[in-house]
């Protein structure tokens, strides 16, 4: 039998340092741009590890929004929810305990309808930050709609459990649809 050599062979690869973390040693490279990356910077894809910059560049192909799409999404989300929030609050409040059941069932449906209205308003274009603007408009619209409804004599339902459930489910569903 042969014995193991006392020294390491000279065929070991040279140690590289991560391009984003210069003090972190690595042997890993992005399979697209060949940049040295550590495990913190690596993103596992179907074809191997890639750096976050290459992933972001690949994802940019899917985003085709124009400059005015974010304000349009904000405005549409604000307008629709400002009108709908006092009406929904009044309807849910009229049913008492059954209002909770209606909130669970109707919240997700309302969120998907709202997301489709917003997507139609922006021409079905996709933007990296579109959902943030849209949902900020929805939250502000719900608050303003409830305040205006209260000023016109409707009950202030913003902090009722059923309205919070309805709004939360609508926001969560719209978030997923606008991804």
């Amino acid at each position: 039998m042969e014995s193991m050599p006392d020294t390491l062979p000279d065929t070991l690869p040279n140690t590289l340092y991560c391009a984003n973390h210069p003090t972190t040693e690595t042997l890993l490279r992005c399979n697209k741009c060949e940049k040295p990356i550590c495990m913190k910077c690596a993103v596992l894809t179907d074809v191997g590890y890639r750096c976050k910059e290459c992933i972001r560049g690949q994802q940019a192909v899917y985003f085709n929004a124009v400059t005015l799409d974010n304000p349009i999404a904000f405005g549409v989300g604000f307008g629709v929810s400002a009108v709908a929030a006092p009406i929904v609050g009044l309807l849910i409040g009229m049913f008492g305990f059954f209002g909770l059941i209606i909130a669970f069932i109707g919240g997700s449906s309302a969120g998907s309808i709202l997301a489709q209205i917003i997507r139609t308003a922006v021409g079905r274009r996709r933007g990296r930050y579109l959902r943030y603007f849209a949902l900020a408009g929805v939250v502000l619209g719900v608050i303003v709609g409830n305040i205006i409804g209260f000023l016109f004599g409707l009950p202030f339902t913003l902090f009722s459990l059923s309205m919070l459930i309805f709004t939360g489910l609508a926001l969560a569903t719209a978030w997923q649809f606008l991804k």
Side-chain angles (χ1 to χ4, degrees):
M1 281 203 163
E2 272 183 50
S3 65
M4 295 294 287
D6 292 335
T7 61
L8 292 174
D10 292 332
T11 60
L12 286 179
N14 293 334
T15 302
L16 300 172
Y17 291 92
C18 176
N20 299 327
H21 303 101
T23 59
T24 305
E25 292 182 3
T26 186
L27 294 174
L28 186 63
R29 288 182 179 267
C30 172
N31 73 348
K32 187 170 183 179
C33 68
E34 294 293 320
K35 180 173 71 171
I37 52 176
C38 65
M39 287 307 293
K40 294 177 199 167
C41 302
V43 177
L44 180 62
T45 64
D46 293 337
V47 295
Y49 287 104
R50 289 199 175 166
C51 64
K52 292 179 182 176
E53 291 80 17
C54 288
I55 294 291
R56 193 165 180 87
Q58 184 68 32
Q59 288 175 344
V61 173
Y62 300 109
F63 299 119
N64 57 357
V66 296
T67 307
L68 288 177
D69 284 347
N70 290 337
I72 289 171
F74 180 86
V76 170
F78 176 82
V80 170
S81 62
V83 170
I87 297 168
V88 168
L90 182 64
L91 290 175
I92 290 176
M94 288 178 9
F95 289 104
F97 173 74
F98 293 108
L100 286 172
I101 297 169
I102 294 170
F104 274 111
I105 295 170
S108 297
S109 301
S112 64
I113 292 169
L114 179 63
Q116 292 304 322
I117 292 170
I118 292 169
R119 288 205 38 169
T120 303
V122 296
R124 300 223 176 268
R125 290 182 292 271
R126 305 180 102 200
R128 193 176 297 274
Y129 304 108
L130 186 72
R131 61 183 167 172
Y132 297 107
F133 281 91
L135 296 185
V138 170
V139 169
L140 191 61
V142 167
I143 293 169
V144 169
N146 274 294
I147 291 172
I148 290 174
F150 181 70
L151 293 176
F152 283 103
L154 295 176
F156 189 70
T157 58
L158 180 63
F159 298 115
S160 69
L161 180 61
S162 55
M163 188 63 177
L164 290 174
I165 290 171
F166 183 89
T167 304
L169 287 173
L171 288 172
T173 305
W175 177 268
Q176 290 301 316
F177 269 84
L178 293 173
K179 231 178 192 181

